[in-house]
Amino acid sequence: MLAVEYFGTMSLHVLPTADDLAAAAAARIADAINTTDRTFSLGLAGGGTPAATYRRLAKAEVQWSRVVMWLGDERWVPHDHEESNTRMARSTLVDHVLSAFLAPDTAFGDPEEAAAHYGDALREAFHDGRPDLVLLGMGDDGHTASLFPGTDALAAEGAYLATWVEQKGLWRLTASLPLLASAREIIFLVQGESKAGVLAEIIDDGRPYPAQQVAAGAANVHWMVDEAAASRLRSVPR
Ligand code: 6PG
């Protein structure tokens, strides 16, 4: 694994394959939990990338009884829907370990109301109101969680919000930029050639995509990527 330190608050870890990435990320998460002696909040990313990490984490030696898991974002679909992040997180991790899991209720009322309720519940669950460790993915347009470029969601002040995502034709619930940036630690999990261009624009040029805005505002950020995603980085010694 190649690790490069930036400015003391951000590090880049390049792993040879997607499997190595999942193993390294699971090890980092397990270590962060096991070296903390209190209740630990773990924010889960949605989408497809993290599933391999969650499956490894479910088999790791972790003190799950102290962990509260929650979702960085959720699609406005029932929990048994194939697009549901709750469904993905439960099938790969949550249902296999003895930890608490807070999921947004996507079966009642309207998205804004559900987002507000969920944000209130999260604030209560976090140690000193701040998430401990948040896993985030990144789209090839630089979005993270459900904070998409050029949307009002990026300016939201509260903890959690509902946002209509035109390109997905769906309502989504998402942690706000300030909430994500308040995390004690963030791990961006990025894999695959399709992300290489936007990753290089963020790491090499600081292009203010939503993922970069979250990283820039946070205290301790690890970009954990595979070589395919890192393939267009100029700043990585070859
Ligand atoms: C979601 C995620 C989203 C995801 C990226 C990357 O609900 O889809 O939270 O931000 O992390 O879209 O998705 P992949 O990992 O599937 O490429």
Side-chain angles (χ1 to χ4, degrees):
M1 174 177 81
L2 170 71
V4 180
E5 201 65 33
Y6 290 87
F7 332 119
T9 57
M10 192 169 89
S11 65
L12 173 74
H13 307 258
V14 182
L15 288 301
T17 67
D19 209 36
D20 298 320
L21 172 60
R28 171 69 210 131
I29 296 159
D31 182 59
I33 294 168
N34 293 336
T35 54
T36 305
D37 58 0
R38 55 168 170 76
T39 302
F40 188 95
S41 64
L42 174 62
L44 300 178
T49 299
T53 297
Y54 297 160
R55 290 193 183 96
R56 282 178 175 270
L57 206 47
K59 297 180 192 139
E61 280 300 311
V62 174
Q63 295 161 31
W64 288 112
S65 61
R66 290 191 288 101
V67 177
V68 177
M69 288 191 269
W70 59 283
L71 289 172
D73 72 324
E74 179 57 292
R75 293 81 181 269
W76 188 247
V77 294
H79 284 171
D80 59 359
H81 191 282
E82 63 178 6
E83 286 287 307
S84 166
N85 284 334
T86 297
R87 180 174 181 261
M88 182 274 291
R90 292 192 58 177
S91 65
T92 56
L93 175 57
V94 174
D95 287 355
H96 305 279
V97 298
L98 289 174
S99 105
F101 178 52
L102 291 174
D105 186 343
T106 56
F108 88 106
D110 65 34
E112 276 97 349
E113 193 182 324
H117 277 295
Y118 190 53
D120 293 344
L122 290 179
R123 283 276 190 225
E124 289 300 308
F126 294 156
H127 178 71
D128 290 344
R130 291 176 62 194
D132 287 304
L133 172 57
V134 180
L135 296 176
L136 289 170
M138 184 181 72
D140 58 10
D141 61 355
H143 82 262
T144 191
S146 285
L147 300 172
F148 284 80
T151 62
D152 296 343
L154 287 162
E157 304 270 313
Y160 223 89
L161 63 134
T163 176
W164 173 257
V165 182
E166 192 57 44
Q167 59 267 52
K168 306 280 186 183
L170 261 184
W171 276 98
R172 291 222 181 158
L173 309 185
T174 184
S176 67
L177 198 158
L179 179 69
L180 293 175
S182 74
R184 293 181 175 84
E185 179 174 349
I186 290 176
I187 295 176
F188 279 99
L189 280 177
V190 184
Q191 80 180 40
E193 173 72 31
S194 69
K195 313 287 176 75
V198 68
L199 185 66
E201 289 183 80
I202 289 174
I203 299 291
D204 292 333
D205 308 323
R207 182 96 183 270
Y209 290 104
Q212 188 277 343
Q213 291 181 49
V214 171
N220 180 16
V221 178
H222 302 283
W223 289 87
M224 299 190 78
V225 307
D226 68 353
E227 280 181 2
S231 58
R232 290 175 51 188
L233 287 176
R234 295 191 312 272
S235 55
V236 172
R238 298 276 180 213

